[in-house]
C-alpha cells in the first residue's frame, strides 16, 4: 500500500526516529566549518537533543549563511566523497550550491520514488520529465526518482512542445513532471493542435517548483485530461521530494523521517499555532554531505490539522501561498501574486497566461495586469471587451482591495517561460 512502511509509522515511533536522526545530524553538521563555529558559539551539541522539539534550541540558518559560506563551508566530508552539485534558481541574488554524496543521491531518489508511488505511479509506467535538466533539481532529481521506482524515464527537458507531444503519443507516456505555468501553456498547445484531453495519454502529472493555485491545478487537469499533484521541494533540502500530495489531494505530506518541519512567524521567529500561516523552516535528518539545521525557506504555508484519509501519519502542509519576499505593497495594501491567479483562473474568458506589472505614476505605485483572453472572447466588439475588462478589474478588486488596470491581450502574446514563470515585472525603475 505504501512504498516504504515508514510512511505510516506511529507518531511515537516517528518522534523517536526523528530524535535519533536529529542527534546524528547535529553530530555530523559539527564537522562542517560553518556549523562547528555556529554550534560551539551556541553551546549546542548532539547531547542537547532529547526530543524533536529540541530543534527550537538551535539557531536558524538563512540563505545568507549559505551564500557567505559558499562553496564548501557547509561540507562535512572529504570533497572526494562528493558526486553531484545542484544550485537553487536564485531569483534573488547569487545561487546557492548544494553538494551530494553517493548516499545522499540514493536517499533522495528513494524519497522522490515514494512521492511518485503515493500518487499512483508504479514500475511499468512511462514517465516523461518535462523540466530543465542542469543545475535545477527538477531535472535529475525527479529523473532518478522515476528510475528508482522502475519507470521507463524520458529526459525530455523543457521546451519544444510539439516534440514533447510526439514523444508522449509515440511512447504512450502515462505520467509527466511539468512546471504548472508551462503545463497551462502546454494545454493551450494541445487545444490548438486539436488533441482532446481524453485522447492525451498521460493520467498523472506532477506539478511543482513554483507557486500555483488550486484553480490553476484544476485547469491543468481539464486541459490535459489527467490528475495533477502538487510537488514541493527546494535545492537546499535536496530538491523535489520534500512534500507531496497523495491521491487525496488535500495537502502535501512532508516526509518527517527525512525532515523536521516547523512553521514560524517570520518576524518574531516564534512557532505559529497549527493551522496558521507562517514561514516554513526545515531541518534535514538523513543528509550526509551537507546537513542543514533549521533552514528558513521563505515559503509561506501552514500545517494542516488532522489525519489524512490515506493512512499516512506524516503531517501535511497546505499549498505554498507565496514567498515571504514575494509580497507586493501597492497603495499600502499587501498583495500576493497568487491572489491574482486565483481570481483569473476561475474565469472562463481568461486564457492560460497573465503578467503582473508594477508601475509608478507620479508618487503612486499602480498595478497593471495583462491577461491573455481565450480566442472566442477576443472578438472585435469593443463594448464586449471593455465590459470584460471591467469585470476582471472588479473581481480582482474584491480579492486584493485595489482596482488594477487590466489589459486584455491575445493568446500567446505574453512571454512564456519553460522554467519557473516570472509573474511579476517591476517597471518602476524604467519609468
Ligand atoms: P529551487 O531550489 O531553485 O528549485 O527553488 C525552490 C523554491 O521553489 C521553493 O523554496 C519554493 O519557493 C518554490 N517551490 C518549489 N515547489 C513548489 C510548489 N509545489 N509550490 C510552490 N512553490 C514551490
Ligand atoms: Zn494522504
Amino acid at each position: 500500500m505504501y512504498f516504504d512502511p515508514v510512511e505510516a509509522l506511529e507518531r511515537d515511533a516517528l518522534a523517536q526516529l526523528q530524535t535519533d536522526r536529529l542527534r546524528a545530524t547535529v553530530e555530523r553538521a559539527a564537522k562542517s566549518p560553518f556549523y562547528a563555529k555556529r554550534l560551539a558559539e551556541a553551546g549546542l551539541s548532539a547531547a542537547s537533543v532529547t526530543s524533536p522539539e529540541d530543534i527550537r534550541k538551535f539557531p536558524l540558518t538563512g540563505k545568507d549563511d549559505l551564500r557567505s559560506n559558499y562553496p564548501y563551508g557547509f561540507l562535512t566530508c572529504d570533497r572526494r566523497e562528493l558526486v553531484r552539485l545542484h544550485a537553487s534558481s536564485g531569483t534573488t541574488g547569487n545561487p546557492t550550491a548544494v553538494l551530494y554524496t553517493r548516499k545522499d543521491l540514493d536517499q533522495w531518489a528513494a524519497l522522490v520514488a515514494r512521492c511518485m508511488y503515493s500518487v499512483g505511479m508504479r514500475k511499468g509506467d512511462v514517465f516523461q520529465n518535462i523540466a530543465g535538466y542542469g543545475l535545477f533539481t527538477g531535472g535529475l532529481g525527479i529523473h532518478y526518482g522515476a528510475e528508482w521506482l522502475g519507470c521507463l524515464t524520458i529526459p525530455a527537458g523543457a521546451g519544444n512542445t510539439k516534440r514533447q507531444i510526439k514523444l508522449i503519443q509515440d511512447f504512450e507516456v502515462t505520467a509527466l513532471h511539468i512546471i504548472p505555468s508551462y503545463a497551462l501553456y502546454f494545454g493551450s498547445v494541445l487545444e490548438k493542435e486539436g488533441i482532446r484531453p481524453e485522447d492525451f495519454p498521460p493520467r498523472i502529472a506532477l506539478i511543482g517548483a513554483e507557486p500555483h493555485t488550486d484553480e490553476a491545478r484544476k485547469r491543468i487537469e481539464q486541459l490535459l485530461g489527467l490528475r495533477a499533484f502538487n510537488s514541493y521541494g527546494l535545492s537546499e533540502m535536496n530538491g523535489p521530494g520534500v512534500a507531496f500530495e497523495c491521491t487525496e489531494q488535500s495537502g502535501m505530506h512532508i516526509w518527517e523521517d527525512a525532515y523536521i518541519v516547523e512553521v514560524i512567524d517570520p518576524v518574531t521567529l516564534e512557532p505559529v499555532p497549527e493551522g496558521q500561516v507562517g514561514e516554513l523552516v526545515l531541518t534535514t535528518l538523513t543528509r550526509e554531505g551537507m546537513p542543514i539545521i533549521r533552514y528558513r525557506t521563505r515559503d509561506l504555508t501552514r500545517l494542516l490539522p488532522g489525519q489524512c484519509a490515506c493512512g499516512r501519519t506524516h503531517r501535511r502542509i497546505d499549498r505554498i501561498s507565496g514567498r515571504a519576499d514575494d509580497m507586493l505593497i501597492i497603495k499600502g495594501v499587501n498583495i500576493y501574486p497568487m491572489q491574482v491567479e486565483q481570481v483569473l483562473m476561475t474565469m472562463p474568458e481568461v486564457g492560460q497566461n497573465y503578467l503582473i506589472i508594477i508601475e509608478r505614476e507620479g508618487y503612486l505605485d499602480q498595478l497593471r495586469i495583462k491577461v491573455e483572453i481565450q480566442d472566442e472572447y477576443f472578438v472585435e466588439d469593443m463594448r464586449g471587451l471593455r465590459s470584460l475588462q471591467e469585470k476582471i478589474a472588479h473581481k480582482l478588486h474584491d480579492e486584493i482591495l485595489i482596482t488594477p488596470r487590466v489589459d486584455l491581450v491575445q493568446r500567446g502574446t505574453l512571454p512564456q517561460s519553460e522554467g519557473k514563470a516570472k509573474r511579476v515585472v517591476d517597471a518602476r525603475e524604467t519609468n
Side-chain angles (χ1 to χ4, degrees):
M1 191 165 169
Y2 306 118
F3 186 72
D4 187 328
V6 78
E7 292 167 52
L9 199 64
E10 295 292 334
R11 291 296 308 178
D12 287 353
L14 195 52
Q16 188 55 53
L17 184 67
Q18 287 197 320
T19 308
D20 296 344
R21 289 186 170 173
L22 179 57
R23 224 178 265 140
T25 294
V26 173
E27 201 172 305
R28 177 107 201 172
K31 294 184 179 150
S32 72
F34 172 76
Y35 281 117
K37 188 158 172 277
R38 183 57 74 93
L39 295 173
E41 277 167 5
L44 291 163
S45 69
S48 320
V49 178
T50 55
S51 79
E53 285 72 44
D54 286 332
I55 191 70
R56 290 196 207 131
K57 297 179 185 165
F58 287 80
L60 294 155
T61 303
K63 203 164 187 99
D64 287 346
D65 294 319
L66 285 170
R67 284 205 188 109
S68 48
N69 291 276
Y70 176 93
Y72 288 118
F74 275 72
L75 193 62
T76 63
C77 60
D78 193 292
R79 282 188 214 172
R80 282 172 306 182
E81 299 295 315
L82 296 174
V83 294
R84 176 91 66 79
L85 177 146
H86 279 289
S88 83
S89 47
T91 35
T92 41
N94 295 322
T96 48
V98 183
L99 304 158
Y100 306 74
T101 64
R102 177 72 256 162
K103 196 168 156 208
D104 288 335
L105 287 186
D106 289 352
Q107 280 175 338
W108 180 21
L111 277 176
V112 173
R114 184 198 291 186
C115 297
M116 292 172 165
Y117 190 94
S118 79
V119 301
M121 281 174 60
R122 295 290 181 271
K123 178 180 166 65
D125 267 307
V126 183
F127 178 74
Q128 187 154 317
N129 191 14
I130 308 180
Y133 278 65
L135 291 175
F136 174 49
T137 52
L140 292 175
I142 289 281
H143 183 102
Y144 283 106
E147 285 191 359
W148 193 273
L149 184 59
C151 302
L152 166 57
T153 306
I154 308 176
N160 200 341
T161 312
K162 286 195 184 150
R163 191 188 62 176
Q164 301 273 7
I165 295 172
K166 181 164 168 50
L167 281 168
I168 289 168
Q169 288 176 326
D170 293 350
F171 291 91
E172 294 168 38
V173 167
T174 52
L176 308 171
H177 171 233
I178 184 165
I179 288 185
S181 51
Y182 188 50
L184 287 166
Y185 170 75
F186 208 97
S188 60
V189 176
L190 286 184
E191 260 178 354
K192 225 179 334 187
E193 296 287 306
I195 301 169
R196 293 182 311 175
E198 55 272 34
D199 299 330
F200 189 59
R203 62 176 208 285
I204 292 170
L206 320 178
I207 56 169
E210 66 183 7
H212 58 286
T213 55
D214 202 44
E215 288 72 17
R217 176 254 285 282
K218 289 196 181 108
R219 249 188 205 217
I220 292 168
E221 292 189 326
Q222 277 161 12
L223 287 165
L224 306 187
L226 42 66
R227 285 185 81 193
F229 299 93
N230 198 352
S231 152
Y232 172 78
L234 61 162
S235 325
E236 293 84 350
M237 294 288 123
N238 284 339
V242 175
F244 225 81
E245 269 178 344
C246 63
T247 46
E248 299 295 322
Q249 290 182 317
S250 64
M252 299 184 278
H253 289 281
I254 187 146
W255 301 123
E256 293 184 85
D257 56 318
Y259 304 96
I260 290 185
V261 52
E262 298 171 84
V263 179
I264 65 166
D265 181 317
V267 179
T268 64
L269 308 181
E270 291 300 318
V272 301
E274 189 181 65
Q276 203 168 304
V277 173
E279 180 179 343
L280 186 67
V281 170
L282 296 170
T283 299
T284 65
L285 287 178
T286 55
R287 244 197 353 207
E288 207 178 54
M290 200 173 152
I292 303 183
I293 299 169
R294 299 197 85 198
Y295 185 65
R296 291 190 66 174
T297 64
R298 313 299 289 166
D299 291 326
L300 301 175
T301 185
R302 60 194 182 107
L303 278 166
L304 296 174
Q307 276 250 335
C308 185
C310 75
R312 290 180 180 83
T313 50
H314 299 230
R315 281 180 297 172
R316 290 163 302 156
I317 53 168
D318 203 353
R319 65 177 55 251
I320 307 294
S321 53
R323 287 180 60 81
D325 32 22
D326 260 2
M327 191 176 76
L328 312 171
I329 305 178
I330 310 285
K331 297 179 181 165
V333 182
N334 300 349
I335 299 166
Y336 284 101
M338 284 304 108
Q339 291 178 281
V340 173
E341 176 173 302
Q342 197 185 333
V343 171
L344 296 179
M345 289 294 141
T346 46
M347 299 184 69
E349 301 94 336
V350 170
Q352 322 308 354
N353 204 353
Y354 64 93
L355 189 67
I356 301 168
I357 301 168
I358 314 164
E359 301 173 328
R360 176 155 297 161
E361 216 179 70
Y363 293 104
L364 274 186
D365 287 341
Q366 298 277 0
L367 209 55
R368 181 183 295 275
I369 309 212
K370 292 196 173 192
V371 183
E372 282 190 10
I373 294 301
Q374 305 280 20
D375 288 347
E376 60 265 41
Y377 295 96
F378 213 89
V379 285
E380 279 169 41
D381 168 12
M382 273 306 283
R383 246 180 319 173
L385 284 177
R386 181 72 44 84
S387 93
L388 178 56
Q389 217 168 8
E390 276 164 16
K391 182 171 157 192
I392 295 174
H394 192 77
K395 285 204 167 211
L396 283 167
H397 175 270
D398 285 348
E399 174 65 32
I400 61 178
L401 308 177
I402 62 168
T403 307
R405 300 205 168 114
V406 174
D407 294 347
L408 305 182
V409 301
Q410 216 165 346
R411 190 159 88 158
T413 48
L414 292 177
Q416 178 60 49
S417 146
E418 288 155 5
K420 303 194 187 213
K422 191 164 169 27
R423 295 296 195 193
V424 181
V425 169
D426 190 343
R428 281 174 296 194
E429 297 90 26
T430 52
N431 273 359

